[in-house]
Amino acid sequence: MSTHQGQEINHITDIIQVMNSGIDFYQTAQDKVQDPAIGALFQRMIDARIVSVESLQPYAINQQGEREDGSSFVVEARRAFTTLISKFANDNDQTYVKELEEVEDKTLEEIKVALKKPQSHDCEAALSKVLLTMQSCHAEMSKMQKH
């Protein structure tokens, strides 16, 4: 297992994969929603994920020897499902909001798993900061889903 300053780095690539898939999903959904407020929300989610991914990349490089640019199958499957159901949904915008709120749940779950594993102090600090950012994103998506 790769180490960072003598300590293990765990689960970082999984988080980045989920976040990369989320970025792709938000970008696809952003092109399809009608409400400009939802489009702006999706852009904020994209921006937050890009910053978070970049903050975690040094640990992914340390974990596997290269940048993590892949995506998560779980999120990709959700995107395919959303595309299918949105063809039949009356309110496309709310369909995307609902499904993307689920992507936020998955992201939070992955970060929490990583925080339960042994990490270097700097990696743990980066994960904690990303967790706060993603909790804020999740709260914003939940609020939008209720409207």
Side-chain angles (χ1 to χ4, degrees), residues 4-48:
H4 184 72
Q5 299 175 349
Q7 294 183 338
E8 295 179 355
I9 304 294
N10 288 298
H11 206 71
I12 303 304
T13 57
D14 296 327
I15 294 168
I16 292 172
Q17 288 175 1
V18 168
M19 294 183 104
N20 283 340
S21 292
I23 290 167
D24 292 343
F25 196 172
Y26 276 112
Q27 288 170 334
T28 299
Q30 190 178 35
D31 292 339
K32 297 183 189 245
V33 295
Q34 303 298 315
D35 185 338
I38 293 175
L41 170 66
F42 288 0
Q43 187 60 54
R44 288 191 301 278
M45 300 300 120
I46 291 166
D47 294 343

CSV table of all heavy atoms in Angstrom, one decimal, residues 4-48:
chain,number,residue,atom,x,y,z
A,4,HIS,N,2.0,8.0,2.7
A,4,HIS,CA,2.3,9.4,2.6
A,4,HIS,C,2.9,9.8,3.9
A,4,HIS,O,2.3,9.7,5.0
A,4,HIS,CB,1.0,10.2,2.4
A,4,HIS,CG,1.2,11.7,2.2
A,4,HIS,ND1,1.7,12.2,1.1
A,4,HIS,CD2,1.0,12.7,3.1
A,4,HIS,CE1,1.8,13.5,1.2
A,4,HIS,NE2,1.3,13.8,2.4
A,5,GLN,N,4.2,10.3,3.8
A,5,GLN,CA,5.0,10.6,5.0
A,5,GLN,C,4.9,9.5,6.0
A,5,GLN,O,4.7,9.7,7.2
A,5,GLN,CB,4.5,11.9,5.6
A,5,GLN,CG,4.6,13.1,4.7
A,5,GLN,CD,4.0,14.3,5.3
A,5,GLN,OE1,3.3,14.3,6.3
A,5,GLN,NE2,4.2,15.5,4.6
A,6,GLY,N,5.0,8.2,5.5
A,6,GLY,CA,5.0,7.1,6.4
A,6,GLY,C,3.7,6.6,6.9
A,6,GLY,O,3.6,5.6,7.6
A,7,GLN,N,2.6,7.2,6.4
A,7,GLN,CA,1.3,6.8,6.8
A,7,GLN,C,0.5,6.4,5.6
A,7,GLN,O,0.7,6.9,4.5
A,7,GLN,CB,0.6,7.9,7.6
A,7,GLN,CG,1.2,8.2,8.9
A,7,GLN,CD,0.5,9.3,9.7
A,7,GLN,OE1,-0.3,10.0,9.2
A,7,GLN,NE2,0.7,9.3,11.0
A,8,GLU,N,-0.5,5.6,5.8
A,8,GLU,CA,-1.4,5.1,4.7
A,8,GLU,C,-2.3,6.2,4.3
A,8,GLU,O,-2.7,7.1,5.0
A,8,GLU,CB,-2.2,3.9,5.2
A,8,GLU,CG,-1.4,2.7,5.5
A,8,GLU,CD,-2.3,1.5,6.0
A,8,GLU,OE1,-3.5,1.7,6.2
A,8,GLU,OE2,-1.7,0.5,6.2
A,9,ILE,N,-2.6,6.1,3.0
A,9,ILE,CA,-3.7,7.0,2.4
A,9,ILE,C,-4.7,6.0,1.9
A,9,ILE,O,-4.4,5.2,1.0
A,9,ILE,CB,-3.1,7.8,1.2
A,9,ILE,CG1,-1.9,8.7,1.6
A,9,ILE,CG2,-4.2,8.6,0.6
A,9,ILE,CD1,-2.2,9.7,2.6
A,10,ASN,N,-5.9,6.1,2.4
A,10,ASN,CA,-6.9,5.1,2.0
A,10,ASN,C,-8.2,5.7,1.4
A,10,ASN,O,-8.7,6.7,1.9
A,10,ASN,CB,-7.4,4.4,3.3
A,10,ASN,CG,-6.3,3.4,3.8
A,10,ASN,OD1,-6.0,2.5,3.1
A,10,ASN,ND2,-5.8,3.7,5.0
A,11,HIS,N,-8.7,5.1,0.4
A,11,HIS,CA,-10.0,5.4,-0.2
A,11,HIS,C,-10.1,6.7,-0.9
A,11,HIS,O,-11.2,7.1,-1.4
A,11,HIS,CB,-11.0,5.4,1.0
A,11,HIS,CG,-12.4,5.0,0.6
A,11,HIS,ND1,-12.8,3.8,0.2
A,11,HIS,CD2,-13.5,5.8,0.5
A,11,HIS,CE1,-14.1,3.8,-0.1
A,11,HIS,NE2,-14.6,5.0,0.1
A,12,ILE,N,-9.0,7.4,-1.2
A,12,ILE,CA,-9.1,8.7,-1.8
A,12,ILE,C,-9.5,8.6,-3.3
A,12,ILE,O,-10.3,9.3,-3.8
A,12,ILE,CB,-7.7,9.4,-1.7
A,12,ILE,CG1,-7.3,9.6,-0.2
A,12,ILE,CG2,-7.8,10.7,-2.4
A,12,ILE,CD1,-8.3,10.3,0.6
A,13,THR,N,-9.0,7.6,-4.0
A,13,THR,CA,-9.3,7.4,-5.4
A,13,THR,C,-10.8,7.1,-5.5
A,13,THR,O,-11.4,7.6,-6.5
A,13,THR,CB,-8.5,6.3,-6.1
A,13,THR,OG1,-8.7,5.1,-5.4
A,13,THR,CG2,-7.0,6.7,-6.1
A,14,ASP,N,-11.4,6.4,-4.6
A,14,ASP,CA,-12.9,6.1,-4.7
A,14,ASP,C,-13.7,7.4,-4.6
A,14,ASP,O,-14.6,7.6,-5.3
A,14,ASP,CB,-13.3,5.2,-3.6
A,14,ASP,CG,-12.7,3.8,-3.7
A,14,ASP,OD1,-12.4,3.3,-4.8
A,14,ASP,OD2,-12.4,3.2,-2.6
A,15,ILE,N,-13.2,8.3,-3.7
A,15,ILE,CA,-13.9,9.6,-3.5
A,15,ILE,C,-13.8,10.4,-4.8
A,15,ILE,O,-14.8,10.9,-5.3
A,15,ILE,CB,-13.3,10.4,-2.3
A,15,ILE,CG1,-13.6,9.6,-1.0
A,15,ILE,CG2,-13.9,11.8,-2.3
A,15,ILE,CD1,-12.8,10.2,0.2
A,16,ILE,N,-12.6,10.4,-5.3
A,16,ILE,CA,-12.4,11.2,-6.6
A,16,ILE,C,-13.3,10.6,-7.7
A,16,ILE,O,-13.8,11.4,-8.5
A,16,ILE,CB,-10.9,11.3,-6.9
A,16,ILE,CG1,-10.2,12.1,-5.9
A,16,ILE,CG2,-10.7,11.9,-8.3
A,16,ILE,CD1,-8.7,12.1,-6.0
A,17,GLN,N,-13.4,9.3,-7.8
A,17,GLN,CA,-14.2,8.7,-8.9
A,17,GLN,C,-15.6,9.1,-8.7
A,17,GLN,O,-16.3,9.5,-9.7
A,17,GLN,CB,-14.0,7.2,-8.8
A,17,GLN,CG,-12.7,6.7,-9.3
A,17,GLN,CD,-12.6,5.2,-9.1
A,17,GLN,OE1,-13.5,4.5,-8.7
A,17,GLN,NE2,-11.4,4.7,-9.5
A,18,VAL,N,-16.2,9.1,-7.5
A,18,VAL,CA,-17.5,9.5,-7.3
A,18,VAL,C,-17.7,11.0,-7.6
A,18,VAL,O,-18.7,11.4,-8.3
A,18,VAL,CB,-18.0,9.2,-5.8
A,18,VAL,CG1,-19.3,9.9,-5.5
A,18,VAL,CG2,-18.1,7.7,-5.6
A,19,MET,N,-16.7,11.8,-7.2
A,19,MET,CA,-16.9,13.2,-7.5
A,19,MET,C,-16.7,13.5,-9.0
A,19,MET,O,-17.5,14.4,-9.5
A,19,MET,CB,-15.8,14.0,-6.7
A,19,MET,CG,-16.1,13.9,-5.2
A,19,MET,SD,-14.9,14.9,-4.3
A,19,MET,CE,-15.9,16.2,-3.9
A,20,ASN,N,-15.9,12.8,-9.7
A,20,ASN,CA,-15.7,13.0,-11.2
A,20,ASN,C,-17.0,12.6,-11.9
A,20,ASN,O,-17.5,13.3,-12.8
A,20,ASN,CB,-14.6,12.1,-11.7
A,20,ASN,CG,-13.2,12.7,-11.5
A,20,ASN,OD1,-13.1,13.9,-11.2
A,20,ASN,ND2,-12.2,11.9,-11.5
A,21,SER,N,-17.6,11.5,-11.4
A,21,SER,CA,-18.9,11.1,-12.0
A,21,SER,C,-20.0,12.2,-11.7
A,21,SER,O,-20.8,12.5,-12.6
A,21,SER,CB,-19.4,9.8,-11.5
A,21,SER,OG,-18.6,8.8,-11.9
A,22,GLY,N,-20.0,12.7,-10.5
A,22,GLY,CA,-20.9,13.8,-10.2
A,22,GLY,C,-20.7,15.0,-11.0
A,22,GLY,O,-21.7,15.6,-11.5
A,23,ILE,N,-19.5,15.4,-11.3
A,23,ILE,CA,-19.2,16.5,-12.2
A,23,ILE,C,-19.8,16.3,-13.5
A,23,ILE,O,-20.6,17.1,-14.1
A,23,ILE,CB,-17.7,16.8,-12.3
A,23,ILE,CG1,-17.1,17.3,-11.0
A,23,ILE,CG2,-17.4,17.8,-13.4
A,23,ILE,CD1,-15.6,17.3,-10.9
A,24,ASP,N,-19.6,15.1,-14.1
A,24,ASP,CA,-20.1,14.8,-15.4
A,24,ASP,C,-21.7,14.8,-15.4
A,24,ASP,O,-22.3,15.3,-16.3
A,24,ASP,CB,-19.7,13.4,-15.9
A,24,ASP,CG,-18.2,13.3,-16.2
A,24,ASP,OD1,-17.6,14.4,-16.4
A,24,ASP,OD2,-17.6,12.2,-16.2
A,25,PHE,N,-22.2,14.2,-14.3
A,25,PHE,CA,-23.7,14.1,-14.2
A,25,PHE,C,-24.3,15.6,-14.1
A,25,PHE,O,-25.3,15.9,-14.8
A,25,PHE,CB,-24.0,13.3,-13.0
A,25,PHE,CG,-25.4,12.8,-12.8
A,25,PHE,CD1,-25.8,11.9,-11.9
A,25,PHE,CD2,-26.4,13.2,-13.7
A,25,PHE,CE1,-27.0,11.4,-11.7
A,25,PHE,CE2,-27.7,12.7,-13.6
A,25,PHE,CZ,-28.0,11.9,-12.6
A,26,TYR,N,-23.7,16.4,-13.3
A,26,TYR,CA,-24.2,17.8,-13.1
A,26,TYR,C,-24.1,18.5,-14.4
A,26,TYR,O,-25.0,19.3,-14.8
A,26,TYR,CB,-23.4,18.5,-12.1
A,26,TYR,CG,-23.9,18.3,-10.7
A,26,TYR,CD1,-23.1,17.7,-9.7
A,26,TYR,CD2,-25.1,18.8,-10.2
A,26,TYR,CE1,-23.5,17.5,-8.4
A,26,TYR,CE2,-25.5,18.7,-9.0
A,26,TYR,CZ,-24.8,18.0,-8.0
A,26,TYR,OH,-25.2,17.8,-6.8
A,27,GLN,N,-23.0,18.3,-15.2
A,27,GLN,CA,-22.8,19.0,-16.5
A,27,GLN,C,-23.9,18.6,-17.5
A,27,GLN,O,-24.5,19.4,-18.2
A,27,GLN,CB,-21.4,18.8,-17.0
A,27,GLN,CG,-20.4,19.5,-16.3
A,27,GLN,CD,-19.0,19.1,-16.7
A,27,GLN,OE1,-18.7,18.0,-17.1
A,27,GLN,NE2,-18.0,20.0,-16.5
A,28,THR,N,-24.2,17.3,-17.5
A,28,THR,CA,-25.2,16.7,-18.4
A,28,THR,C,-26.6,17.3,-18.0
A,28,THR,O,-27.4,17.8,-18.8
A,28,THR,CB,-25.3,15.2,-18.3
A,28,THR,OG1,-24.0,14.7,-18.8
A,28,THR,CG2,-26.4,14.6,-19.2
A,29,ALA,N,-26.9,17.3,-16.7
A,29,ALA,CA,-28.2,17.8,-16.2
A,29,ALA,C,-28.3,19.3,-16.4
A,29,ALA,O,-29.4,19.8,-16.7
A,29,ALA,CB,-28.3,17.4,-14.7
A,30,GLN,N,-27.2,20.0,-16.2
A,30,GLN,CA,-27.2,21.4,-16.4
A,30,GLN,C,-27.7,21.8,-17.8
A,30,GLN,O,-28.4,22.8,-18.0
A,30,GLN,CB,-25.9,22.0,-16.1
A,30,GLN,CG,-25.8,23.5,-16.0
A,30,GLN,CD,-24.4,24.0,-15.7
A,30,GLN,OE1,-23.4,23.4,-16.2
A,30,GLN,NE2,-24.3,25.0,-14.9
A,31,ASP,N,-27.3,21.0,-18.8
A,31,ASP,CA,-27.7,21.3,-20.2
A,31,ASP,C,-29.2,21.0,-20.4
A,31,ASP,O,-29.8,21.4,-21.4
A,31,ASP,CB,-26.9,20.4,-21.1
A,31,ASP,CG,-25.4,20.9,-21.2
A,31,ASP,OD1,-25.1,22.0,-20.8
A,31,ASP,OD2,-24.6,20.1,-21.6
A,32,LYS,N,-29.8,20.2,-19.5
A,32,LYS,CA,-31.2,19.8,-19.8
A,32,LYS,C,-32.2,20.5,-18.9
A,32,LYS,O,-33.4,20.4,-19.3
A,32,LYS,CB,-31.3,18.3,-19.6
A,32,LYS,CG,-30.4,17.5,-20.6
A,32,LYS,CD,-30.5,16.0,-20.4
A,32,LYS,CE,-29.4,15.4,-21.2
A,32,LYS,NZ,-29.8,14.6,-22.3
A,33,VAL,N,-31.8,21.1,-17.9
A,33,VAL,CA,-32.8,21.8,-17.0
A,33,VAL,C,-33.3,23.1,-17.6
A,33,VAL,O,-32.5,23.8,-18.3
A,33,VAL,CB,-32.3,22.0,-15.6
A,33,VAL,CG1,-32.1,20.6,-14.9
A,33,VAL,CG2,-31.1,22.8,-15.5
A,34,GLN,N,-34.5,23.5,-17.3
A,34,GLN,CA,-35.1,24.7,-17.8
A,34,GLN,C,-34.9,25.9,-16.9
A,34,GLN,O,-34.7,27.0,-17.3
A,34,GLN,CB,-36.6,24.5,-18.1
A,34,GLN,CG,-36.8,23.4,-19.1
A,34,GLN,CD,-36.2,23.6,-20.4
A,34,GLN,OE1,-36.3,24.7,-21.0
A,34,GLN,NE2,-35.6,22.6,-21.0
A,35,ASP,N,-35.0,25.6,-15.6
A,35,ASP,CA,-34.9,26.7,-14.6
A,35,ASP,C,-33.5,27.2,-14.4
A,35,ASP,O,-32.6,26.5,-14.0
A,35,ASP,CB,-35.4,26.1,-13.2
A,35,ASP,CG,-35.6,27.1,-12.1
A,35,ASP,OD1,-34.9,28.2,-12.2
A,35,ASP,OD2,-36.3,26.9,-11.2
A,36,PRO,N,-33.3,28.5,-14.7
A,36,PRO,CA,-31.9,29.1,-14.5
A,36,PRO,C,-31.4,29.0,-13.1
A,36,PRO,O,-30.2,28.8,-12.9
A,36,PRO,CB,-32.1,30.6,-14.9
A,36,PRO,CG,-33.4,30.7,-15.6
A,36,PRO,CD,-34.3,29.5,-15.1
A,37,ALA,N,-32.2,29.0,-12.1
A,37,ALA,CA,-31.8,28.9,-10.7
A,37,ALA,C,-31.2,27.5,-10.5
A,37,ALA,O,-30.2,27.3,-9.8
A,37,ALA,CB,-32.9,29.2,-9.7
A,38,ILE,N,-31.8,26.5,-11.1
A,38,ILE,CA,-31.3,25.1,-10.9
A,38,ILE,C,-30.0,25.0,-11.7
A,38,ILE,O,-29.0,24.4,-11.2
A,38,ILE,CB,-32.4,24.1,-11.4
A,38,ILE,CG1,-33.5,24.1,-10.4
A,38,ILE,CG2,-31.8,22.7,-11.4
A,38,ILE,CD1,-34.7,23.2,-10.8
A,39,GLY,N,-29.9,25.6,-12.9
A,39,GLY,CA,-28.7,25.5,-13.7
A,39,GLY,C,-27.5,26.2,-12.9
A,39,GLY,O,-26.4,25.7,-12.9
A,40,ALA,N,-27.8,27.3,-12.2
A,40,ALA,CA,-26.8,28.0,-11.4
A,40,ALA,C,-26.4,27.1,-10.2
A,40,ALA,O,-25.2,27.1,-9.9
A,40,ALA,CB,-27.3,29.4,-11.0
A,41,LEU,N,-27.4,26.5,-9.6
A,41,LEU,CA,-27.1,25.6,-8.5
A,41,LEU,C,-26.1,24.5,-9.0
A,41,LEU,O,-25.1,24.1,-8.3
A,41,LEU,CB,-28.4,25.0,-7.9
A,41,LEU,CG,-28.2,23.8,-6.9
A,41,LEU,CD1,-27.5,24.3,-5.7
A,41,LEU,CD2,-29.6,23.2,-6.6
A,42,PHE,N,-26.5,23.9,-10.1
A,42,PHE,CA,-25.6,22.8,-10.6
A,42,PHE,C,-24.2,23.3,-10.9
A,42,PHE,O,-23.2,22.6,-10.7
A,42,PHE,CB,-26.3,22.2,-11.9
A,42,PHE,CG,-27.5,21.4,-11.6
A,42,PHE,CD1,-28.0,21.2,-10.4
A,42,PHE,CD2,-28.2,20.8,-12.7
A,42,PHE,CE1,-29.2,20.4,-10.2
A,42,PHE,CE2,-29.3,20.1,-12.5
A,42,PHE,CZ,-29.8,19.9,-11.2
A,43,GLN,N,-24.1,24.5,-11.4
A,43,GLN,CA,-22.7,25.1,-11.6
A,43,GLN,C,-22.0,25.2,-10.3
A,43,GLN,O,-20.8,24.9,-10.3
A,43,GLN,CB,-22.8,26.4,-12.4
A,43,GLN,CG,-21.4,26.9,-12.8
A,43,GLN,CD,-20.7,26.0,-13.7
A,43,GLN,OE1,-21.2,25.6,-14.8
A,43,GLN,NE2,-19.5,25.6,-13.4
A,44,ARG,N,-22.6,25.6,-9.3
A,44,ARG,CA,-22.0,25.7,-8.0
A,44,ARG,C,-21.5,24.3,-7.5
A,44,ARG,O,-20.4,24.2,-6.9
A,44,ARG,CB,-22.9,26.4,-6.9
A,44,ARG,CG,-23.1,27.9,-7.2
A,44,ARG,CD,-23.8,28.6,-6.0
A,44,ARG,NE,-25.1,28.1,-5.6
A,44,ARG,CZ,-26.2,28.4,-6.2
A,44,ARG,NH1,-26.2,29.2,-7.2
A,44,ARG,NH2,-27.4,27.9,-5.8
A,45,MET,N,-22.3,23.3,-7.7
A,45,MET,CA,-22.0,22.0,-7.4
A,45,MET,C,-20.7,21.5,-8.2
A,45,MET,O,-19.8,20.9,-7.6
A,45,MET,CB,-23.1,21.0,-7.6
A,45,MET,CG,-24.4,21.3,-6.8
A,45,MET,SD,-24.2,21.3,-5.0
A,45,MET,CE,-24.6,23.0,-4.7
A,46,ILE,N,-20.7,21.8,-9.4
A,46,ILE,CA,-19.6,21.4,-10.3
A,46,ILE,C,-18.3,22.1,-9.8
A,46,ILE,O,-17.3,21.4,-9.6
A,46,ILE,CB,-19.9,21.8,-11.8
A,46,ILE,CG1,-21.0,21.0,-12.4
A,46,ILE,CG2,-18.6,21.8,-12.6
A,46,ILE,CD1,-21.6,21.5,-13.7
A,47,ASP,N,-18.4,23.4,-9.5
A,47,ASP,CA,-17.2,24.2,-9.1
A,47,ASP,C,-16.7,23.6,-7.8
A,47,ASP,O,-15.5,23.5,-7.6
A,47,ASP,CB,-17.6,25.6,-8.9
A,47,ASP,CG,-17.9,26.3,-10.3
A,47,ASP,OD1,-17.6,25.7,-11.4
A,47,ASP,OD2,-18.5,27.4,-10.3
A,48,ALA,N,-17.6,23.3,-6.8
A,48,ALA,CA,-17.2,22.8,-5.5
A,48,ALA,C,-16.5,21.4,-5.7
A,48,ALA,O,-15.5,21.1,-5.0
A,48,ALA,CB,-18.4,22.7,-4.6
